[in-house]
Amino acid sequence: MDFPTLIIGGGISGITAALELAEAGQQVVLIEKENYLGGNVGQFNNYFPKLCPPACGLEINYRRIRSNPLITYYTGANLKSISGSEGDYSAKIDLEPRLINNNCTSCGKCAEVCPEERPKKLGRSPGEKAAYINNGLAFPMKYCIDPEVCTREACGKCLEVCDYSAIQLDASSAEVGILAGKIIVATGWNLYDAAKIENFRYSEEADVVTNQEFERMLANCTREHKKLTRPSDGKVPSRIAFIQCVGSRDQNHLPYCSAVCCSASLKHALTLETEYPGTISEIFYIDLRLSGRNETLLKKIEEKEGIILTKGKVGRILPSEGEEGIVLELEDISRARKRKDVFDLVVLAMGLCPAPVAARLELNEYGFCLPVQPSGMIPTACSKRPMDVSSSVKDATASALKAMQK
Amino acid sequence: MEDGKKNMALAVCSGCSIGASLDVGKLLDSAVEANQGLVCMEHRALCSEAGLTGLNTLLKEKGVDRLALAACSPRVKSKEFQLDGIHVERINLREQVAWVMEPEHEDTQLCAEDQTRMVLAKLEAIRENIPYIPESISSEILVVGGGIAGLTSALEGARAGYRVHLVEQSGHLGGYGGRIYKLLPDCESDATLKEPDIHLLVKELEKLPGVEIYLDTRVQSISGEPGNFQISLDKNGSSELHVGAIVTATGWKPYNTEKLEPMGYGSERVKTLEEFELFVQEEPIPDRILFVLCAGSRDEKHLAYCSSYCCSAALKQALYVRELNPRAEVYIIYRDIRTTGFQEEFYKMVQADDAIFMTKGIIDTVTDRGDGMELVISQSLLDEHVILKSDMVVLATGMVPNTTTDLQLQYRLGKGLPEIEYDFSDSHFICFPYETRRTGIYAAGTVRAPMDMEMSREDGAGAMMKAIQAIECVKRGEAVHPRAGDLTWPELYMERCTDCKRCTEECPFGSYDETEKGTPLPNPARCRRCGICVGSCPERVIGFADFNINSVSAMIKAVSMPDEFEEKPRILVFVCENDAYPALDAAGIHHLSYSPYVRIIPVRCLGSINKVWISDALSHGYDGILQIGCKPGDDYQCHFIHGSELTEQRGENLQETLETMMLEPERIQTKFVEITEHHEIQEMINDYVEEMELIGPNPFKSL
Amino acid sequence: MSEIADIQPDLAFKRELSQLSGSQLNQCMQCGNCSAVCSLAPADRPFPRKEMIWSGWGLKNRLIGNVDVWLCHQCGDCSSFCPRDVKPADVISGVRQLSYRHYARPRFLGKLLSEVMWLPLAIAIPVAVIIAILSLAGTFRIPEGPVDYSAFFPHGLLNGTFSAITLFFYLLASLGIGRFWRDMKRQTPPGEAGMRRLPVFRILGEILSHSNFSNCGSRKAGRFSHMLLFFGFALLIVVTLYAIWATVTHNYPLPLSNPFKILGNLASLMIYCGLGIMIWQRLFNKSVFGKSGYSDWLLLVAIGLLTLSGTLVQLARFGDWSLAYHLYFFHLVAVWFVIMYLPFTKLGHIFYRTTAMLYARSIGRK
């Protein structure tokens, strides 16, 4: 008997691998640790170089998932262990307590009455309650209750308003065992911790944010039809600095290059230029790393006066000392001049690290999976190395083929 | 589901504010009035266990085979409302009525009743569908091009158990990858260049059963459709193949060296990257070599894009020079060093050799002084203007994709795959890099996008996966991405066809060929079910079982039209299912209110809107017609390539219709929206309704 | 510089510098982080990024005679934060060491003091001269009785010879300084503003206050230890001059209670502390302090031995040690070594750095 392919990770790569396999007639089980599919890019504002929203492609994929009986997916699912071997794996999955079950119609009444707020995270919807939904186009389209914030029976307000018996405040976690013939590891990436970089005052300054945080800030603005504001004082920033290679290409932190951050910052600058005319964006780089047809981003930027590209790695962020903003210090290499400049908001382009996986995988010196695994598991996309969305999808498609091989 | 006997039912869910917003009883009454014998049901939570049980019982009892389900959006609760043996059409009373219109208001009620009647009308008009499966299906795959992408593609396909035919025009496999001196090191292994491995790949390929390799062979013609392609090869006269899908991996050619003369090309001492790759294997290396990166790339006057592979390839060749001539010095002039990802370690590895000197700079002039080369470089890191001398100059030139016309597709719309910018045969979509415009034919490797050898391998495998998938889908009679799983297909009523061939020309995927007599010849397996042909046909010849001229006309006419004195305009809104419909749902989810005067008809693509629906709508008394779809233009979002664009063009023709009917041109408008623009779509609708209110009612209303 | 420079990469020089500094300087990726974090780098054409690429191309004529190389106070911030770990601080330090050799006149002295294999010869020269003087004076017998250095060592002859040789070497060295000045002018010309009057007092102020040291982040301890050494050494010179005067006026040797004697001991203490900190940092805090090469250790050890031998000489006199005269001899050799060879060892930075700072400030650089 042929077991299904287990795909660990429900981001764009995991979703792609699942769909390509299922539409080729293969049974697939997809597990995702968050309560919604979409992963990191599901929270993004737009992609480079087209500046198009991730929701567009994801919506098509969700439609394909909905209509495909060969795909089983679990959200709130954490991989506990994998045993066995190729052709005959046995995976143990921990399912988080489903305080809201599948009866949920996403009417939203529970969130309206919920008194608890989830801890503030930059980029999270402000005032997001314990009962929440990812966004309007979330998949699966149902609300969730954060078990770490909910006070359960002590409160119970949501129970009173739910007409669909969808709430079970006493739900507990469950374990699921999955037998799989092949396993695709699509666990994606986390951002390198900006607090580890001395000299950049990430922990001290509210207006120094990471590229991922900035992405989510923009996404929130799009969703709520609001203007971008500085975290510190709520003003609209008019001068924004993008610092490339913070902690990347750096022997003291991540020695490798994360491949996508230059394009991402250029994309941010273009987005700002379009939606916030008059904003000045300056990008500080060592090498401007675009590839292939993404070069068109540069072409678009050349005509924009509000976007400045400066070669010179920013060495440090200095204490503001009375300045109304963040002070950067760098050498402007093409002009051979040192500059100390003030910006309203500073975006640190941090690098990508592999997300940890609870399975015996062979890793390289940076913690990424080696492409060929002795266990036969198939790592894909960013679990192997940092790459952009297009390459991730391509890689996931190739991995799907490997999963079809005996 | 049969055409003759139609047992229809309507189930209404009053949960999620629907019941609070509407008078469900009245809704049911109005539905029954329009459809005698309609089986009805209401429940406060239709998706619940109780609701579904009740529903299933009722449907079985009454022998229902077509169900209109008025509840939430079809985008949610799909598994719950998927009922075996019953065709279900959803009526969106939640996101698109209850959540956006004033509750317990007459206009909201009228809207709900109209939308219900519209879907019931559609349900009745839907035809039975027998999926299309080509008469003879092959699961074999043709791979054109025996370079690294093609080889990997064939290998991975064969390993998955599929028979593969690999065609290569030259006498040997390997392409450019087969002619290199050494490979880049693996990022994890020790710091040495690797021996090339193409010959190992070839050996492995030759050992696999089910792989046929054709050397010195070209494709003479390809005809047919996915699952059923007829291939003609010119080998020993001619060879015929029958395959199910095709991967084209015909690779790249070097940039036109004539254009490189300003950079010194033409001198014996100046070489391109691929020339130098061969040079190092054949001739002694001079003592001073200078590499110019981005030569003729990232430049509007030459190749505007970045070829991705050249930075690491040039660095690799720098190492060749040092290995083969330990006395040599290498100078590298760059604009940016693009060794991304783990190739950063390779960059450091190259720099570990101190006889390799690097600086950023722009080449002003390259002169052959007879006894050596002299370059003037400006904006360098060494100084503003510098002169560097060397014995040889290597220009790191970019790659130019081969065209795919060598596929010799016997398609009415052309011999090759459509190209996007810079002549690459690629998809325009970031999330869907293999979204081909010729179904069943997938481009892989450098013919698709600039990439290095490592990326080409993965690309070959990816394209092969899509090829296999296409075959499997065709076997089931299903469409591929984006309407994956769709079993309907375009059926033509040829009696009325006038051979105008608009369907043929407007089909983004080349589904239609032409018979000898000049009549459109559909190839349904090539079809992506966008419906643009439905919209293009002036004779209304084409339709899908569940989306055709009648079904949509019926929806249009099912709306009850108040007379002009009631001052209740009726606006017809065509909404494309990709970006616009979800945006509308999102407006509902965010409880953004819009006018209750709109009547929504979802369409597969704006391009699928047929002119007759517009005239139907206008004659029926609609005051305005709004078409909302995905963005066109250079960065188009339309997954059917030019559906939105076509709508704009057809808009001009529609203006004529309006003029003949003596109606204002504003009564038909096309707007574009992104999926995240739920605020904008609310504004669009409300602004448009306001505009129509100002223009005044459609004079045809009372007729 | 608007004219076109003909670049002749010098691999041999590059390798010499790389080895001397212990830096894989070719791996510099020209990110500019070093210039960005350097607190002493001027705003116009900052250092050390450009010096790194010039090092990478072996451009000796842009490094030897480069004023910025001497504005650097070796704080090591650039090295701490360098993402490629190419230790710009050590490279710049290496350039300085090569400069001492390059500008040394006579050339053979520059060579003599740059490599450990010539150390025996370097030591032998003052030893030989002193022994010759002792023999000339004819007092080659260690006297009996309480220790009396004047009885054995002909101070007048010794001081006279020492001063003459030192002056001679310093005069020759000033030729080198002159060339250094001209090189700086060629590489970093004054510009439109021209040259201002030499701001001698301002530079003196900067040096005395060690203000440049306080700007550096990583090496705060460097300021303190250098101040100790600097002022300790200065005090010792003052004390020594007084002691020479004392020999002339026959008030020598000085009693312990003499204020200058007290000063001298205080200065020695300062030097011990300063040296102690420096040596400890160089041994146990290499990540911040970078590579310590031969010229660094030579100077530290020489100064250490000089001071130690001075203390011991004092103790020997009070304690009537039998080895007193030998110790005194050792002390003399140490003093001659440090002072005579000053322009050719790392101590030459007294001349070079001061000159560079004078030049820089006079053309308005920072």
Side-chain angles (χ1 to χ4, degrees):
Chain A
M1 176 175 118
D2 265 336
F3 293 129
T5 299
L6 170 64
I7 298 174
I8 308 171
I12 185 86
S13 306
I15 291 173
T16 301
L19 283 170
E20 304 303 352
L21 274 171
E23 286 171 11
Q26 305 289 316
Q27 197 98 27
V28 166
V29 177
L30 176 65
I31 66 171
E32 163 56 42
K33 68 179 195 304
E34 301 293 335
N35 288 314
Y36 300 97
L37 298 186
N40 282 316
V41 303
Q43 303 278 58
F44 275 17
N45 186 47
N46 54 16
Y47 288 148
F48 55 79
K50 281 172 68 180
L51 270 51
C52 51
C56 176
L58 283 173
E59 177 68 25
I60 292 182
N61 283 336
Y62 295 153
R63 197 174 73 202
R64 290 161 77 192
I65 292 178
R66 276 201 301 268
S67 59
N68 200 316
L70 291 173
I71 301 178
T72 311
Y73 63 89
Y74 296 93
T75 51
N78 290 292
L79 178 69
K80 277 269 103 70
S81 69
I82 296 180
S83 56
S85 56
E86 203 175 339
D88 194 7
Y89 295 107
S90 172
K92 295 243 179 308
I93 320 286
D94 232 4
L95 295 180
E96 271 177 21
R98 266 107 171 88
L99 299 180
I100 296 184
N101 60 37
N102 286 336
N103 287 339
C104 174
T105 60
S106 44
C107 67
K109 292 223 183 91
C110 54
E112 275 170 40
V113 302
C114 178
E116 304 296 331
E117 258 185 42
R118 292 182 91 193
K120 233 180 136 175
K121 234 174 146 183
L122 199 60
R124 209 174 242 178
S125 283
E128 188 169 272
K129 309 279 192 66
Y132 71 99
I133 194 165
N134 209 354
N135 64 61
L137 299 168
F139 187 87
M141 183 63 174
K142 67 183 267 287
Y143 275 69
C144 291
I145 293 178
D146 189 338
E148 283 166 34
V149 178
C150 172
T151 52
R152 312 275 189 125
E153 279 88 356
C155 165
K157 288 203 171 61
C158 49
L159 272 172
E160 294 162 21
V161 295
C162 179
D163 290 330
Y164 307 102
S165 316
I167 300 183
Q168 288 170 256
L169 293 178
D170 59 353
S172 50
S173 56
E175 205 187 75
V176 173
I178 298 177
L179 294 174
K182 296 275 185 166
I183 296 183
I184 295 180
V185 179
T187 41
W189 53 271
N190 291 330
L191 210 63
Y192 189 68
D193 185 4
K196 291 200 175 134
I197 317 287
E198 307 160 43
N199 272 1
F200 280 87
R201 300 177 59 77
Y202 173 71
S203 312
E204 289 91 329
E205 304 279 356
D207 293 332
V208 174
V209 300
T210 64
N211 43 2
Q212 191 174 25
E213 287 167 342
F214 188 65
E215 186 74 47
R216 292 187 184 185
M217 285 161 74
L218 288 178
N220 265 351
C221 293
T222 303
R223 185 169 67 230
E224 288 160 31
H225 215 58
K226 282 189 340 219
K227 285 271 161 208
L228 177 71
T229 52
R230 300 204 305 177
S232 63
D233 58 8
K235 293 207 190 120
V236 177
S238 60
R239 278 197 85 203
I240 304 183
F242 293 89
I243 305 178
Q244 304 306 113
C245 298
V246 178
S248 290
R249 301 183 68 185
D250 191 332
Q251 218 89 315
N252 306 314
H253 299 278
L254 304 178
Y256 55 90
C257 157
S258 287
V260 302
C261 348
C262 279
S263 306
S265 292
L266 288 171
K267 170 197 78 168
H268 285 148
L270 265 177
T271 304
L272 289 169
E273 218 276 343
T274 321
E275 292 175 27
Y276 301 85
T279 311
I280 307 286
S281 300
E282 189 160 3
I283 300 172
F284 300 99
Y285 64 92
I286 305 175
D287 289 287
L288 212 47
R289 291 183 162 180
L290 304 171
S291 69
R293 296 197 307 275
N294 285 343
E295 191 72 23
T296 51
L297 271 176
L298 267 185
K299 205 166 59 146
K300 286 184 196 168
I301 279 171
E302 265 156 33
E303 306 139 23
K304 313 283 184 201
E305 277 173 20
I307 304 179
I308 305 164
L309 303 175
T310 302
K311 179 169 167 74
K313 182 180 191 301
V314 170
R316 56 191 176 181
I317 289 179
L318 301 165
S320 299
E321 272 165 27
E323 294 278 9
E324 279 273 314
I326 311 290
V327 184
L328 308 180
E329 190 166 25
L330 66 132
E331 181 192 348
D332 183 339
I333 292 176
S334 58
R335 291 179 186 79
R337 272 206 83 79
K338 267 194 81 150
R339 275 171 56 187
K340 251 191 210 155
D341 258 332
V342 185
F343 287 86
D344 299 326
L345 185 65
V346 172
V347 181
L348 305 178
M350 307 299 303
L352 276 44
C353 302
V357 189
R360 38 172 226 285
L361 290 160
E362 293 221 335
L363 309 174
N364 70 9
E365 67 213 272
Y366 312 123
F368 287 89
C369 295
L370 295 179
V372 178
Q373 295 286 329
S375 60
M377 289 195 267
I378 305 164
T380 192
C382 293
S383 68
K384 288 191 298 194
R385 64 177 190 274
M387 54 175 83
D388 63 16
V389 173
S390 195
S391 309
S392 298
V393 171
K394 187 182 79 169
D395 202 85
T397 312
S399 300
L401 181 56
K402 301 213 169 78
M404 280 180 71
Q405 294 165 350
K406 295 286 167 261
Chain B
M1 186 175 75
E2 302 157 37
D3 268 342
K5 170 174 157 51
K6 288 172 222 167
N7 245 337
M8 299 210 311
L10 168 66
V12 180
C13 178
S14 48
C16 293
S17 318
I18 295 175
S21 186
L22 305 168
D23 182 340
V24 176
K26 255 188 95 208
L27 180 77
L28 289 167
D29 289 341
S30 95
V32 171
E33 206 183 302
N35 297 270
Q36 296 298 322
L38 183 69
V39 175
C40 288
M41 160 179 179
E42 180 201 333
H43 194 279
R44 49 164 285 283
L46 208 50
C47 57
S48 67
E49 215 183 300
L52 288 170
T53 315
L55 179 64
N56 276 305
T57 315
L58 179 69
L59 296 176
K60 249 204 201 79
E61 243 176 73
K62 304 287 181 175
V64 171
D65 59 355
R66 299 184 186 204
L67 171 67
L69 210 151
C72 44
S73 167
R75 293 172 56 253
V76 295
K77 297 288 175 188
S78 22
K79 280 222 161 58
E80 283 81 349
F81 294 134
Q82 208 167 7
L83 309 170
D84 269 331
I86 299 183
H87 185 96
V88 180
E89 287 288 334
R90 302 278 292 268
I91 305 164
N92 193 336
L93 290 188
R94 187 180 74 166
E95 282 86 335
Q96 292 181 10
V97 177
W99 282 0
V100 291
M101 297 172 188
E102 210 185 311
E104 298 184 294
H105 191 282
E106 188 194 357
D107 288 324
T108 310
Q109 182 71 23
L110 287 173
C111 177
E113 289 176 8
D114 274 338
Q115 295 281 170
T116 307
R117 277 200 305 272
M118 284 163 86
V119 174
L120 284 167
K122 174 185 181 188
L123 206 49
E124 196 164 7
I126 289 175
R127 304 194 294 254
E128 188 198 346
N129 181 63
I130 299 170
Y132 173 84
I133 299 174
E135 344 135 329
S136 80
I137 297 192
S138 163
S139 294
E140 299 182 12
I141 299 158
L142 170 70
V143 177
V144 183
I148 184 110
L151 281 173
T152 315
S153 193
L155 195 58
E156 301 289 358
R159 282 185 187 149
Y162 287 82
R163 260 185 79 82
V164 178
H165 302 268
L166 177 60
V167 168
E168 164 57 40
Q169 69 182 8
S170 77
H172 56 268
L173 295 172
Y176 281 102
R179 306 213 278 272
I180 56 168
Y181 175 52
K182 293 236 170 106
L183 281 176
L184 288 176
D186 290 334
C187 38
E188 316 84 32
S189 72
D190 64 325
T192 44
L193 297 178
K194 292 194 311 188
E195 291 299 316
D197 63 354
I198 291 259
H199 58 286
L200 296 169
L201 268 181
V202 172
K203 258 208 192 75
E204 217 190 312
L205 198 63
E206 286 166 349
K207 277 197 300 214
L208 280 172
V211 177
E212 293 289 329
I213 301 175
Y214 308 79
L215 298 178
D216 291 309
T217 307
R218 280 175 202 270
V219 171
Q220 243 174 7
S221 82
I222 297 181
S223 55
E225 53 184 354
N228 192 13
F229 285 112
Q230 287 80 42
I231 318 286
S232 202
L233 303 176
D234 74 344
K235 168 135 186 123
N236 308 325
S238 200
S239 213
E240 302 297 318
L241 294 178
H242 182 219
V243 304
I246 300 162
V247 172
T248 175
T250 44
W252 60 281
K253 51 184 188 274
Y255 182 56
N256 181 1
T257 48
E258 270 173 21
K259 303 250 183 95
L260 295 171
E261 267 157 40
M263 282 176 241
Y265 193 83
S267 154
E268 278 250 322
R269 294 175 179 276
V270 178
K271 311 238 170 267
T272 62
L273 271 183
E274 49 284 338
E275 287 170 352
F276 195 67
E277 189 79 31
L278 295 172
F279 179 84
V280 302
Q281 298 175 64
E282 289 159 12
E283 309 273 353
I285 316 276
D287 285 344
R288 293 173 305 169
I289 315 270
L290 189 147
F291 286 85
V292 177
L293 301 191
C294 296
S297 291
R298 300 178 60 189
D299 187 343
E300 283 301 312
K301 298 196 297 288
H302 299 276
L303 301 176
Y305 53 92
C306 160
S307 287
S308 301
Y309 83 107
C310 356
C311 276
S312 46
L315 289 175
K316 185 185 65 162
Q317 290 187 347
L319 290 179
Y320 292 169
V321 169
R322 295 284 305 136
E323 175 205 321
L324 297 169
N325 179 0
R327 255 192 355 253
E329 285 181 10
V330 178
Y331 316 120
I332 300 179
I333 316 298
Y334 62 88
R335 285 173 56 183
D336 293 288
I337 296 289
R338 292 180 163 181
T339 47
T340 56
F342 302 151
Q343 281 184 353
E344 189 68 24
E345 286 300 314
F346 176 63
Y347 179 17
K348 289 208 287 240
M349 172 193 155
V350 171
Q351 286 185 305
D353 185 334
D354 56 11
I356 297 179
F357 302 81
M358 300 177 69
T359 181
K360 186 173 156 110
I362 300 193
I363 311 293
D364 281 351
T365 62
V366 181
T367 320
D368 187 340
R369 292 277 179 222
D371 60 346
M373 300 299 297
E374 187 181 282
L375 288 88
V376 176
I377 299 160
S378 62
Q379 293 178 49
S380 85
L381 295 173
L382 299 170
D383 206 333
E384 199 41 47
H385 294 284
V386 301
I387 291 177
L388 272 176
K389 299 198 181 74
S390 75
D391 300 313
M392 183 167 268
V393 170
V394 180
L395 302 174
T397 40
M399 50 171 55
V400 172
N402 283 318
T403 75
T404 50
T405 47
D406 51 3
L407 283 175
Q408 299 293 331
L409 297 176
Q410 303 302 303
Y411 282 28
R412 169 68 171 62
L413 285 190
K415 292 213 161 75
L417 302 176
E419 289 163 1
I420 59 170
E421 57 187 354
Y422 312 129
D423 303 339
F424 285 98
S425 302
D426 198 0
S427 149
H428 186 60
F429 295 99
I430 289 150
C431 314
F432 307 107
Y434 299 111
E435 190 164 329
T436 177
R437 282 181 60 178
R438 296 291 177 262
T439 312
I441 307 175
Y442 300 92
T446 48
V447 74
R448 183 174 81 73
M451 57 178 79
D452 63 19
M453 283 182 64
E454 208 44 54
M455 284 158 32
S456 293
R457 287 178 217 253
E458 286 162 7
D459 211 38
M464 174 55 69
M465 178 69 209
K466 296 300 282 184
I468 290 170
Q469 186 189 79
I471 293 171
E472 298 301 327
C473 285
V474 164
K475 281 184 187 165
R476 299 190 299 262
E478 284 175 18
V480 296
H481 178 279
R483 295 205 102 236
D486 189 354
L487 289 163
T488 65
W489 51 284
E491 295 170 272
L492 280 71
Y493 186 61
M494 294 308 287
E495 272 78 354
R496 280 224 308 271
C497 173
T498 58
D499 295 342
C500 75
K501 291 188 279 281
R502 257 180 238 167
C503 55
T504 309
E505 272 148 34
E506 291 183 357
C507 174
F509 306 104
S511 287
Y512 293 91
D513 290 335
E514 225 175 284
T515 64
E516 282 144 11
K517 299 205 208 97
T519 315
L521 183 65
N523 296 277
R526 295 185 201 168
C527 173
R528 302 280 265 282
R529 284 53 166 190
C530 63
I532 285 179
C533 51
V534 175
S536 70
C537 183
E539 295 303 319
R540 310 177 299 282
V541 156
I542 311 176
F544 294 81
D546 66 352
F547 180 76
N548 53 64
I549 304 289
N550 291 339
S551 69
V552 175
S553 288
M555 289 177 85
I556 292 172
K557 293 175 188 154
V559 167
S560 91
M561 199 54 67
D563 64 45
E564 73 252 42
F565 300 110
E566 290 188 51
E567 292 190 3
K568 289 182 194 293
R570 287 292 176 258
I571 312 294
L572 182 61
V573 186
F574 287 109
V575 169
C576 100
E577 68 185 6
N578 278 323
D579 277 356
Y581 194 95
L584 215 51
D585 266 4
I589 290 160
H590 287 87
H591 296 281
L592 303 175
S593 59
Y594 52 81
S595 167
Y597 301 142
V598 297
R599 301 294 177 263
I600 313 279
I601 294 186
V603 292
R604 295 176 176 212
C605 178
L606 278 196
S608 67
I609 299 173
N610 192 292
K611 208 170 69 159
V612 75
W613 299 333
I614 310 284
S615 21
D616 277 353
L618 292 170
S619 342
H620 196 64
Y622 286 84
D623 303 286
I625 299 161
L626 185 58
Q627 306 175 121
I628 311 181
C630 311
K631 294 194 165 168
D634 282 335
D635 278 336
Y636 66 83
Q637 281 296 85
C638 177
H639 276 278
F640 302 119
I641 318 302
H642 55 216
S644 296
E645 213 179 286
L646 277 172
T647 312
E648 273 190 315
Q649 290 168 18
R650 292 177 191 165
E652 290 155 21
N653 299 336
L654 286 174
Q655 296 305 318
E656 291 172 25
T657 312
L658 287 168
E659 275 171 34
T660 12
M661 293 170 94
M662 308 245 281
L663 291 169
E664 298 84 340
E666 291 87 351
R667 293 197 189 267
I668 304 178
Q669 282 183 35
T670 310
K671 299 224 184 269
F672 304 110
V673 79
E674 272 183 8
I675 197 172
T676 46
E677 291 179 333
H678 40 276
H679 288 272
E680 283 79 349
I681 205 174
Q682 173 205 29
E683 262 171 51
M684 268 177 209
I685 290 175
N686 286 339
D687 288 348
Y688 185 76
V689 172
E690 218 180 283
E691 215 182 315
M692 291 304 107
E693 282 178 314
L694 284 171
I695 290 182
N698 178 348
F700 289 95
K701 217 187 263 285
S702 38
L703 299 173
Chain C
M1 298 210 207
S2 54
E3 77 275 13
I4 302 183
D6 195 341
I7 300 290
Q8 311 274 0
D10 185 343
L11 186 53
F13 178 75
K14 175 179 182 177
R15 284 185 172 151
E16 192 185 6
L17 180 55
S18 188
Q19 210 191 32
L20 189 62
S21 62
S23 160
Q24 283 267 51
L25 59 86
N26 203 40
Q27 294 206 326
C28 169
M29 59 176 171
Q30 289 290 290
C31 65
N33 201 62
C34 49
S35 300
V37 300
C38 175
S39 308
L40 297 177
D44 175 41
R45 286 163 295 146
F47 61 89
R49 181 200 52 84
K50 59 194 199 305
E51 282 72 19
M52 286 305 293
I53 193 163
W54 291 336
S55 303
W57 284 69
L59 301 181
K60 185 171 173 180
N61 63 348
R62 291 177 189 242
L63 292 168
I64 309 287
N66 174 326
V67 60
D68 287 350
V69 159
W70 297 93
L71 295 181
C72 165
H73 277 58
Q74 188 73 10
C75 72
D77 275 352
C78 52
S79 291
S80 298
F81 294 105
C82 173
R84 276 294 173 93
D85 202 24
V86 293
K87 309 187 187 64
D90 289 349
V91 176
I92 303 295
S93 168
V95 172
R96 289 196 290 268
Q97 288 175 63
L98 291 177
S99 303
Y100 297 129
R101 271 184 245 185
H102 177 86
Y103 289 113
R105 293 282 178 284
R107 278 190 220 276
F108 85 89
L109 277 181
K111 199 147 194 265
L112 190 72
L113 291 155
S114 61
E115 277 152 66
V116 68
M117 67 174 183
W118 298 116
L119 184 58
L121 180 57
I123 296 173
I125 294 178
V127 165
V129 173
I130 294 173
I131 288 179
I133 292 173
L134 286 177
S135 346
L136 264 178
T139 55
F140 228 23
R141 256 184 47 251
I142 298 196
E144 306 280 342
V147 168
D148 176 12
Y149 294 118
S150 309
F152 183 67
F153 293 98
H155 281 118
L157 207 54
L158 285 168
N159 289 333
T161 317
F162 169 68
S163 307
I165 299 176
T166 303
L167 207 61
F168 177 59
F169 281 161
Y170 283 21
L171 276 170
L172 280 180
S174 67
L175 292 175
I177 303 287
R179 279 187 53 235
F180 178 50
W181 183 272
R182 283 195 297 282
D183 283 342
M184 283 194 292
K185 216 164 167 191
R186 173 181 54 79
Q187 282 188 30
T188 315
E192 283 159 19
M195 277 184 69
R196 291 181 278 185
R197 221 185 33 188
L198 293 179
V200 177
F201 288 110
R202 205 182 112 202
I203 297 300
L204 210 60
E206 265 184 59
I207 294 173
L208 289 175
S209 68
H210 282 61
S211 60
N212 288 317
F213 281 92
S214 19
N215 280 327
C216 295
S218 318
R219 257 190 50 176
K220 290 262 152 48
R223 176 169 190 251
F224 184 57
S225 58
H226 191 271
M227 281 186 105
L228 283 173
L229 209 60
F230 180 87
F231 287 110
F233 206 74
L235 275 177
L236 275 185
I237 292 189
V238 166
V239 165
T240 308
L241 287 173
Y242 181 79
I244 294 177
W245 172 248
T247 59
V248 167
T249 58
H250 302 290
N251 286 326
Y252 188 82
L254 304 168
L256 214 57
S257 54
N258 183 304
F260 280 92
K261 193 73 168 169
I262 296 172
L263 259 179
N265 282 321
L266 179 64
S268 305
L269 219 62
M270 286 168 74
I271 289 176
Y272 289 136
C273 289
L275 274 183
I277 296 173
M278 285 183 181
I279 290 171
W280 194 91
Q281 296 282 22
R282 282 184 182 274
L283 284 177
F284 300 114
N285 207 359
K286 287 202 176 103
S287 59
V288 170
F289 278 73
K291 183 179 190 229
S292 298
Y294 173 67
S295 77
D296 301 296
W297 288 119
L298 180 67
L299 188 61
L300 289 174
V301 169
I303 293 177
L305 288 177
L306 181 157
T307 319
L308 187 63
S309 56
T311 308
L312 288 177
V313 154
Q314 187 189 196
L315 287 174
R317 175 160 71 85
F318 290 128
D320 278 323
W321 294 2
S322 54
L323 286 176
Y325 297 95
H326 305 82
L327 278 169
Y328 197 90
F329 180 81
F330 186 87
H331 183 64
L332 270 184
V333 171
V335 171
W336 282 36
F337 189 95
V338 172
I339 304 294
M340 242 171 49
Y341 288 146
L342 188 146
F344 315 107
T345 64
K346 196 177 168 189
L347 208 49
H349 76 276
I350 293 178
F351 291 145
Y352 290 101
R353 184 169 270 117
T354 313
T355 309
M357 284 165 74
L358 276 171
Y359 180 72
R361 305 298 179 246
S362 70
I363 63 166
R365 192 153 177 68
K366 179 96 171 238

